[in-house]
Amino acid sequence: MTRRPAARHLLPAALRHLVLGLGAVIMLAPFVWMVSTSLKPAAEIFLDHIRLWPHQLAAAENYTTAVTRVPLLRFMLNGLIVTVTIFVIQVAVALPAAYALAKLRFRGRGLIFGAILFCLLIPPHAIAVPVFLLFHQLGILNSYAAMVVPFTISVFGIFLMRQFFLTVPDDLIDAARMDGYGEFAIVWRVMLPTAIPAITAFGIFSIVAHWNDYFWPLIVVNDQHLLTPPLGVVAFRNQEAGSDFGPLMAAATLIIAPLVIAFLFAQRRFIEGITLTGMK
Amino acid sequence: MSDQALHLSAAGPAPRSRAAARADRLRAMTAWALSAPAVILMALLLIGPVIGVVALSLTDYQLGAATLSYIGLDNYAEMFGDRVFHTALINTLLYVAVVVPGSVFLGLGIALLIESGTSGRALYRAIYFLPVMATLIAMAIVWEFMLHPQFGLINLALGRIGIPAQNWLTDGDLALWVLAAIGIWQAVGFNMVLFMAGLVSIPRFLYDAAEMDGVPGAWARFRLVTWPMLGPVTLFVVVITSIRSFQVFDTVHVLTKGGPNKATEVLLYTMYAEGFEFFRSGYAAAVTVVFLGFVLALTLVKIGVLDRKVHYS
């Protein structure tokens, strides 16, 4: 009597793990194969059978080639510079606007908010042609500025922080005013610390989006020293004409590593951040 | 106390309201100062360019040309008469038609399976979500290697069960499906997480009530409780996946360049090639306007869904 329900539960549980496990193998296969190949010498890459762990480890050679034949570390530094600059400016622009829209009553507020809602509809690809022409006129193509400027405004960031500020009690702001804080001081010394959870969520979204972005840097940058990580791995592949797979897979591993490692360490926060803010 | 009251009444209402008006004006000016950077950047980098793209689509401008002239709807006429554009539109719609149901149903199935037990939840969630995080361009190059006709993992594995090797990316009958499969692989984890959020918000008592009413079995519980309660989330996931699938570009650009023989030409790739390889800005702008039209229509549906979701909860 007691064993039958247990057995009834055991079968679905086993089936669940079987199906999910099989799916997990498919999801992970590219990652596993990428890392596995990045450890193999050329001779073992061109085998006609599947071998995961190489007989002869060539990790040192492959990873050295990956970071020396093209300036891969430079590309990653570029990625860091571009993503961090974008994020810092986005917050600096969005936070005061979000505060004003959430907490101050003024003529034109509805108009600004309406414009923000309209801008939420615009996909980044849709404005590529005119912004490219504008930057061409200004002579700032092929620069960090060309990669950063179009993303200095995140209407989504304003929207997200405004929603967050609506939940902040007015008493907090009134108390700060009583203490003699001006509106600017309130933004940076009261609202900024309060909004850390919203800013973190937005930061994850922003950094993931711009570290991984390929479309815009592809259009505006061609100087080798300005390439971002996605462009860098493609440049590496093109240089190799698709024959030196060990170093190529090492390069791919290095480029996905920062976000993947960050994700594995803080996955709960990442998933919440992406779902909260990724709902564009 | 009385002294103060006397003072107030003596001062009268007029000066006070003037002070209040001045305070209001000051506050409005501060509010505008706080919003100004955002407003200026929004006008310069978003609203202006959207107007610009529509205006540009009515001209024959080519980058580097000394002049441009208004040509009305000629770009659109050329576009709709162009076989490449037709192919791009059909391929994009096909890609969306495959990736959306594929990643939505798989995402839902995986979310339900993971939530139906307790062991390994966090591990599975992390594994299925991993492709969402990983740089798609780097992973596209890994896929290219796995799809290599001679020594790619996929042909090696299929060879073991007797399936002959395929030229996955250079076979015109296969290439678009392969890109769609990569698209599903990448999107499924995102949809899974959205469905999980939806599942968590279904009140427990509905399942208890179903049990008390004698609803038998997991399938009936799913059909009577889970599925209807997930309705708004599902609609939302479908629309959001459609918007994202419409923007397919990265995998096309590095894996196939729209080939072989335009078999994987998609809308954004056409726009990119015309605008940034041939520098036909006016024509590329017209392609962009069509792209924008599709995405706007989908986004408006999304806003409708979002409103319904808000009323729902």
Side-chain angles (χ1 to χ4, degrees), chain A residues 15-31 33-34 37 45-50 89 92-94 96-97 99-101 104-109 111-112 115-137 149-153 155 158 177 183-184 187 208 211-216 218-219 229-231 233-234 237 242 245 248-249 252-253 255-256 259-260 263-264 267-268 270-271 274-275 278-280, chain B residues 24 27-28 30-35 37-39 41-42 44-50 52-53 56 61 63-64 109-110 112-139 141-146 148 150-153 156-157 160 184-186 188-190 192-194 197 236 240 243-244 247 249-250 253-255 257 268 271-272 275-276 279 281-282 284-285 288 291-292 295-296 299-300 302-303 306 309:
Chain A
L15 212 63
R16 168 176 177 265
H17 282 296
L18 184 74
V19 175
L20 285 175
L22 263 169
V25 168
I26 296 171
M27 298 307 279
L28 283 180
F31 296 98
W33 200 240
M34 169 183 75
T37 307
I45 290 170
F46 303 111
L47 290 176
D48 60 353
H49 59 271
I50 300 163
I89 300 179
V93 171
Y99 166 71
L101 289 170
L104 302 175
R105 328 229 147 264
F106 60 100
R107 196 188 292 249
R109 186 175 70 153
L111 187 70
I112 296 176
I116 285 167
L117 293 180
F118 171 75
C119 287
L120 277 171
L121 304 176
I122 304 169
H125 307 94
I127 46 176
V129 174
V131 174
F132 176 84
L133 296 179
L134 176 71
F135 285 10
H136 176 75
Q137 284 298 315
V149 170
F151 306 107
T152 49
I153 177 79
V155 281
I158 300 176
R177 283 191 190 124
E183 298 298 312
F184 286 87
V187 169
V208 169
W211 179 273
N212 292 338
D213 186 24
Y214 179 65
F215 185 79
W216 186 250
L218 174 74
I219 288 169
L231 290 175
V233 72
V234 172
R237 181 196 64 163
F245 288 108
L248 181 60
M249 292 300 117
T253 307
I255 275 159
I256 69 156
L259 285 182
V260 165
F263 167 66
L264 292 177
Q267 35 156 317
R268 180 176 276 276
F270 258 81
I271 289 179
I274 296 269
T275 41
M279 291 193 179
K280 294 186 76 169
Chain B
D24 276 355
R27 187 150 296 170
T30 317
W32 271 98
L34 290 169
S35 316
V39 170
L41 288 172
M42 198 157 64
L44 282 178
L45 294 170
L46 293 169
I47 296 171
V50 166
V53 88
L56 209 58
Y61 186 65
L63 189 71
I110 293 163
L112 286 170
L113 263 183
I114 293 180
E115 292 293 311
S116 73
T118 45
S119 61
R121 269 189 194 178
L123 180 70
Y124 286 129
R125 199 169 74 149
I127 290 174
Y128 284 96
F129 197 74
L130 205 54
V132 181
M133 297 289 315
T135 311
L136 182 58
I137 279 296
M139 295 319 291
I141 287 172
V142 175
W143 276 106
E144 182 181 40
F145 172 56
M146 296 212 304
H148 194 286
Q150 277 106 53
F151 35 81
L153 178 66
L156 288 183
R160 279 193 169 181
I184 292 173
W185 170 82
Q186 211 253 339
V188 75
F190 186 73
M192 168 198 78
V193 165
L194 293 181
F236 180 74
I240 223 175
I243 293 173
R244 294 167 144 238
Q247 308 184 359
F249 173 79
D250 294 13
H253 186 259
V254 296
L255 296 182
K257 301 258 179 228
L268 266 191
M271 184 268 261
Y272 167 81
F276 303 104
F279 296 116
S281 308
T288 310
F291 164 78
L292 190 61
V295 176
L296 273 184
T299 315
L300 291 173
K302 188 183 86 173
I303 291 170
L306 206 61
K309 221 175 106 187

Side-chain angles (χ1 to χ4, degrees), chain B residues 5-308:
Chain B
L6 193 73
H7 175 76
L8 275 177
S9 63
R16 265 192 73 221
S17 72
R18 204 183 301 149
R22 199 185 309 128
D24 276 355
R25 226 177 13 251
L26 192 71
R27 187 150 296 170
M29 272 165 62
T30 317
W32 271 98
L34 290 169
S35 316
V39 170
I40 292 166
L41 288 172
M42 198 157 64
L44 282 178
L45 294 170
L46 293 169
I47 296 171
V50 166
I51 298 167
V53 88
V54 176
L56 209 58
S57 76
L58 305 173
T59 73
D60 62 355
Y61 186 65
Q62 305 204 6
L63 189 71
T67 58
L68 89 178
S69 45
Y70 174 80
I71 56 165
L73 296 176
D74 284 7
N75 282 326
Y76 293 91
E78 184 192 340
M79 193 168 71
F80 286 113
D82 184 6
R83 287 263 294 283
V84 175
F85 176 76
H86 281 251
T87 312
L89 193 59
I90 290 166
N91 284 343
T92 309
L93 293 171
L94 261 178
Y95 180 90
V96 173
V98 173
V99 172
V100 171
S103 62
V104 170
F105 282 115
L106 280 173
L108 175 63
I110 293 163
L112 286 170
L113 263 183
I114 293 180
E115 292 293 311
S116 73
T118 45
S119 61
R121 269 189 194 178
L123 180 70
Y124 286 129
R125 199 169 74 149
I127 290 174
Y128 284 96
F129 197 74
L130 205 54
V132 181
M133 297 289 315
T135 311
L136 182 58
I137 279 296
M139 295 319 291
I141 287 172
V142 175
W143 276 106
E144 182 181 40
F145 172 56
M146 296 212 304
L147 293 162
H148 194 286
Q150 277 106 53
F151 35 81
L153 178 66
I154 297 198
N155 277 347
L156 288 183
L158 289 178
R160 279 193 169 181
I161 51 171
I163 297 173
Q166 307 286 332
N167 292 316
W168 298 104
L169 293 168
T170 50
D171 181 335
D173 293 332
L174 287 175
L176 189 67
W177 305 104
V178 171
L179 294 184
I182 299 174
I184 292 173
W185 170 82
Q186 211 253 339
V188 75
F190 186 73
N191 293 347
M192 168 198 78
V193 165
L194 293 181
F195 278 121
M196 280 180 164
L199 283 172
V200 170
S201 66
I202 298 177
R204 219 23 280 153
F205 71 81
L206 286 179
Y207 290 102
D208 298 340
E211 202 159 327
M212 294 223 300
D213 287 350
V215 172
W219 172 247
R221 260 199 322 273
F222 174 77
R223 203 170 48 83
L224 290 171
V225 180
T226 315
W227 181 243
M229 289 304 287
L230 277 183
V233 178
T234 309
L235 205 54
F236 180 74
V237 174
V238 167
V239 176
I240 223 175
T241 313
S242 311
I243 293 173
R244 294 167 144 238
S245 308
F246 244 96
Q247 308 184 359
V248 56
F249 173 79
D250 294 13
T251 47
V252 176
H253 186 259
V254 296
L255 296 182
T256 62
K257 301 258 179 228
N261 197 21
K262 306 290 173 202
T264 58
E265 182 86 20
V266 291
L267 226 42
L268 266 191
Y269 190 79
T270 312
M271 184 268 261
Y272 167 81
E274 294 289 348
F276 303 104
E277 280 180 348
F278 312 132
F279 296 116
R280 296 177 66 209
S281 308
Y283 186 78
V287 178
T288 310
V289 169
V290 172
F291 164 78
L292 190 61
F294 275 103
V295 176
L296 273 184
L298 282 167
T299 315
L300 291 173
V301 173
K302 188 183 86 173
I303 291 170
V305 174
L306 206 61
D307 277 349
R308 275 200 17 210

Side-chain angles (χ1 to χ4, degrees), chain A residues 149-232:
Chain A
V149 170
F151 306 107
T152 49
I153 177 79
S154 168
V155 281
F156 186 72
I158 300 176
F159 183 76
L160 183 82
M161 286 176 215
R162 173 190 174 268
Q163 299 304 96
F164 181 83
F165 286 153
L166 288 177
T167 67
V168 173
D170 286 335
D171 294 349
L172 183 73
I173 297 157
D174 288 335
R177 283 191 190 124
M178 300 275 234
D179 287 346
Y181 281 81
E183 298 298 312
F184 286 87
I186 289 176
V187 169
W188 298 115
R189 285 158 66 182
V190 181
M191 299 314 266
L192 176 67
T194 316
I196 291 296
I199 293 172
T200 309
F202 175 64
I204 289 170
F205 165 77
S206 170
I207 286 170
V208 169
H210 293 112
W211 179 273
N212 292 338
D213 186 24
Y214 179 65
F215 185 79
W216 186 250
L218 174 74
I219 288 169
V220 293
V221 162
N222 50 45
D223 185 356
Q224 162 111 353
H225 289 289
L226 289 169
L227 300 190
T228 54
L231 290 175

